[in-house]
Amino acid sequence: MTRVFSGIQPTGEVHLGNLLGALRNWVRDQHTADSLYCVVDLHALTVPQDPVELRSTTRQLAQLLLAVGIDPAVATLFVQSHVDEHTGLAWIMECTAAVGELRRMTQFKDKSDGASFVSGGLFTYPALMAADILLYDTDHVPVGDDQRQHLELTRDLAIRFNNRYGDTFIVPEATIPPVGARIMDLQQPTRKMSKSADSPQGTIGVLEDLGAVAKKIKRAVTDTDNEVRFDTDAKPGVSNLLSILGACTDRDPASLADDYTQYGPLKADAADAVCAVLEPIQARYAELDADPGAVDDILSGGAAKARAVAGPTLARAREALGLLPAR
Ligand code: TYM
């Protein structure tokens, strides 16, 4: 059976980009593949975190993944720091990656540029991500477009390790959705929607009040020529609305454009479609609120299942490297 693995950081609120670019595909894949989904709390440590907040956002994110539709009966849901093998293999991946490769990562460049403190972990972040993926003999990694470069590096590291030490890792592939892989900020449509946006008006939270969501979409930046056409370079704002509507309704954004002659109706339909997607997620999230212990139980079962796969893979890598086994 095909193995799928993916992860999401417990920082900031989960937004529409996360949902349409990644999480919806996690839910789809769990029915056809052996799927593992991970709240990557160790990745969040690359910048200083408030301990109380980190603990609660980690649990809340797991709850949200369940609300989105991850079913613990078919998929394995767990927290990265509960499975020690991630850090064990991360060191090996750091020693497999070249400094030049890590320096070329655009995410590192973006996040370190102008920052007053840049941790060593921010630099080696992609080695931990490679470890996450390779530990589970992963075939496919459903992610948004911004993770493409990290996936390429993961493949390069797996191939390099296999060439040096013999076949040890499966070389994984990114699965990036044709629609919704790069949802843009509603106010600055040339920048991707992100947790760290300048203005909250540009980002839609998955748990946000639906009235506020509709308002944000209706106030989204477009342009002045009033022509509805899918052209991400010339018309980034309108194209983003078409992508959002297309991703929510399973339609092709370019052909959707033919249905509209004005921006108003496009915005109204996009707002309705987004609210229709978010409403059941918010209802399930509220139901799960009633029983926080249930989330912890699911995470504990998930970690046990994850360890059972990760342990033998790490042992295989150590053996290939010539590390003396402990007796
Ligand atoms: P993170 O937590 O930033 O984002 C989680 C997922 O959401 C996707 N995404 C988007 N998709 C479309 N439009 C957007 N504007 C948008 N913003 C985010 C991301 O591509 C991602 O799929 N490094 C990863 C977490 C990670 C990981 C892994 C992923 C750690 N280990 C192993 C896969 C496999 C990250 O920071 O994602």
Side-chain angles (χ1 to χ4, degrees):
M1 202 177 186
T2 306
R3 173 72 54 70
V4 162
F5 177 93
S6 200
I8 179 167
Q9 293 198 58
T11 45
E13 62 175 344
V14 175
H15 56 71
L16 190 67
N18 299 130
L19 181 69
L20 300 180
L23 305 184
R24 295 227 304 169
N25 302 319
W26 297 12
V27 175
R28 180 202 58 205
D29 287 348
Q30 70 182 346
H31 301 294
T32 52
D34 180 12
S35 305
L36 296 109
Y37 300 123
C38 186
V39 177
V40 291
D41 55 348
L42 297 173
H43 277 97
L45 301 182
T46 51
V47 294
Q49 298 288 338
D50 176 81
V52 175
E53 204 172 302
L54 179 62
R55 217 177 340 266
S56 77
T57 51
T58 300
R59 189 184 280 114
Q60 283 163 5
L61 177 53
Q63 182 175 330
L64 183 66
L65 295 176
L66 294 168
V68 164
I70 300 301
D71 177 359
V74 291
T76 301
L77 177 65
F78 70 104
V79 174
Q80 188 182 32
S81 66
H82 295 178
V83 181
D84 281 340
E85 283 79 359
H86 287 255
T87 43
L89 188 59
W91 174 251
I92 294 171
M93 286 300 121
E94 282 177 41
C95 296
T96 309
V99 167
E101 281 171 323
L102 295 171
R103 211 179 270 137
R104 278 196 294 278
M105 294 293 115
T106 53
Q107 194 159 307
F108 173 71
K109 288 194 237 175
D110 292 348
K111 292 198 171 169
S112 59
D113 193 30
S116 57
F117 173 78
V118 178
S119 70
L122 190 65
F123 185 59
T124 57
Y125 177 115
L128 176 58
M129 181 161 162
D132 299 339
I133 296 166
L134 300 181
L135 270 179
Y136 297 98
D137 290 333
T138 302
D139 300 295
H140 296 295
V141 187
V143 282
D145 183 68
D146 62 348
Q147 297 301 317
R148 198 185 284 275
Q149 195 186 28
H150 288 155
L151 257 297
E152 274 308 310
L153 178 65
T154 302
R155 290 171 56 84
D156 290 346
L157 298 185
I159 292 167
R160 185 173 308 149
F161 188 100
N162 288 347
N163 286 340
R164 280 187 189 159
Y165 302 109
D167 260 356
T168 307
F169 297 119
I170 305 271
V171 181
E173 271 175 41
T175 42
I176 296 176
V179 181
R182 197 171 181 81
I183 299 298
M184 309 307 275
D185 187 287
L186 296 176
Q187 290 300 316
Q188 291 176 285
T190 52
R191 296 175 55 166
K192 69 172 183 184
M193 187 176 284
S194 93
K195 295 163 183 165
S196 53
D198 296 341
S199 150
Q201 293 310 314
T203 305
I204 291 178
V206 170
L207 295 177
E208 201 170 326
D209 171 76
L210 295 180
V213 168
K215 261 194 201 133
K216 283 185 182 180
I217 294 177
K218 287 177 186 162
R219 290 184 188 149
V221 166
T222 46
D223 52 42
T224 49
D225 73 8
N226 231 343
E227 184 196 356
V228 180
R229 177 163 56 86
F230 188 73
D231 179 340
T232 51
D233 292 332
K235 300 178 74 71
V238 175
S239 302
N240 191 36
L241 291 170
L242 287 166
S243 291
I244 290 172
L245 178 58
C248 290
T249 55
D250 282 324
R251 289 194 53 193
D252 170 51
S255 61
L256 261 178
D258 299 339
D259 296 356
Y260 298 94
T261 51
Q262 287 177 316
Y263 295 161
L266 168 63
K267 286 180 168 179
D269 285 358
D272 286 349
V274 169
C275 290
V277 168
L278 297 187
E279 198 182 298
I281 296 174
Q282 296 187 358
R284 277 197 296 270
Y285 187 85
E287 279 165 31
L288 289 162
D289 255 346
D291 191 0
V295 176
D296 290 338
D297 289 346
I298 288 166
L299 292 176
S300 146
K305 284 206 266 171
R307 272 183 224 117
V309 183
T313 315
L314 181 58
R316 211 163 66 219
R318 288 184 163 158
E319 161 83 23
L321 285 161
L323 297 173
L324 185 67
R327 293 190 56 182

